[in-house]
Amino acid sequence: MKCAVVVVAAGSGQRLAAGRPKALVELDNRPLVEWAVSAFLAVPAIEQHVVVAPVSDTNLVASLVGPAVVVVAGGADRQGSVANGLAALRADITHVLVHDAARPLVPVAVVEAVVAALTAGARAVIPVLPVTDTIKQIAEDGTVSGTLDRSRLRAVQTPQGFDRAVLVRAHEAVGHDAERTVTDDAALVEAMGIPVVTVDGSDLSMKITTAHDLQVAAALVEVHRHEAAWAGDRR
Ligand code: C5P
């Protein structure tokens, strides 16, 4: 088995309104893309690192992440960016993790759990968290049409791990249907009828979308440091 990671970092970050692409926004004086890549550089099983950067900032991102990381330009949507990342994988790579740069504080332990599930034979793996809010489905007029059974719901994070051939096939199968927004690679694989295994995600791996999320993440940097130091001592 040979594992790679594709970190997608080519989004505009409009909802963050920081005046620059989200991946370049700083958290504790370090751009989000640099945070995100660092978790994967710390896992020896990950042999190739690919970052998908905004077209206008590929050189800047390359200088931030260093020469060991391949940087390619992003696509029009997330799915297009993942496809560009997959196209840059080395021929000998058998498994690939796909991670959103918008989750900068992903713990190394989550990356390791995804890799471990792939090693154990899973063809698709996603990190998940139990849902603490009750989730309701609403009708078009905003009234409630149903209440979902919370015990069976999970919030999905990244990195999601895949057998490379399966993910490439899934992307090819769905093509680029402008009508269909794909926010999650596992959904493409599910549609092919392939089982998707779940592993424990982490609260630290929260997704940064708004300025408020960035403030919450800033408050979590210390927790992240402590957990990393603690995990490092155990390794
Ligand atoms: O927009 P959202 O935050 O859901 O994007 C999830 C991830 O996909 C982000 O890390 C973003 O940088 C990435 N993305 C991308 N290319 C796009 C759109 C989003 O790499 N065209």
Side-chain angles (χ1 to χ4, degrees):
M1 177 171 139
K2 286 192 180 291
C3 256
V5 66
V6 171
V7 176
V8 283
S12 62
Q14 267 167 5
R15 285 165 295 178
L16 196 53
R20 57 185 144 167
K22 180 156 64 180
L24 296 173
V25 170
E26 291 190 354
L27 173 63
D28 199 33
N29 299 317
R30 203 174 173 208
L32 297 187
V33 64
E34 217 183 298
W35 276 103
V37 171
S38 66
F40 299 89
L41 290 170
V43 177
I46 311 279
E47 299 187 33
Q48 188 191 10
H49 302 78
V50 177
V51 171
V52 186
V55 180
S56 53
D57 292 299
T58 49
N59 289 340
L60 175 56
V61 169
S63 69
L64 289 172
V65 294
V69 178
V70 178
V71 177
V72 298
D77 54 16
R78 184 184 182 281
Q79 196 190 338
S81 290
V82 173
N84 289 359
L86 292 177
L89 293 181
R90 273 179 1 212
D92 62 336
I93 294 297
T94 60
H95 292 78
V96 60
L97 275 58
V98 180
H99 183 65
D100 287 345
R103 297 184 189 274
L105 297 180
V106 56
V108 168
V110 173
V111 178
E112 288 175 337
V114 172
V115 170
L118 292 174
T119 307
R123 285 183 288 169
V125 188
I126 59 174
V128 298
L129 284 182
V131 173
T132 52
D133 291 321
T134 294
I135 310 279
K136 294 201 187 276
Q137 219 155 20
I138 54 162
E140 275 186 23
D141 67 358
T143 60
V144 172
S145 59
T147 303
L148 302 171
D149 173 7
R150 194 169 68 186
S151 68
R152 300 290 298 274
L153 296 177
R154 299 291 181 272
V156 177
Q157 302 184 327
T158 67
Q160 301 188 346
F162 303 93
D163 176 287
R164 176 189 183 167
V166 165
L167 186 60
V168 168
R169 232 185 321 133
H171 271 259
E172 284 168 1
V174 74
H176 263 87
D177 182 352
E179 295 294 301
R180 203 176 143 196
T181 314
V182 181
T183 56
D184 169 61
D185 297 287
L188 302 175
V189 173
E190 282 159 49
M192 290 167 63
I194 290 174
V196 178
V197 170
T198 61
V199 296
D200 289 341
S202 165
D203 289 325
L204 283 174
S205 208
M206 61 171 287
K207 183 170 174 195
I208 295 178
T209 303
T210 63
H212 175 260
D213 297 335
L214 195 59
Q215 288 176 330
V216 174
L220 289 175
V221 165
E222 265 316 296
V223 183
H224 183 269
R225 254 189 216 116
H226 281 123
E227 282 209 4
W230 183 71
D233 285 349
R234 282 189 313 150
R235 265 182 214 112

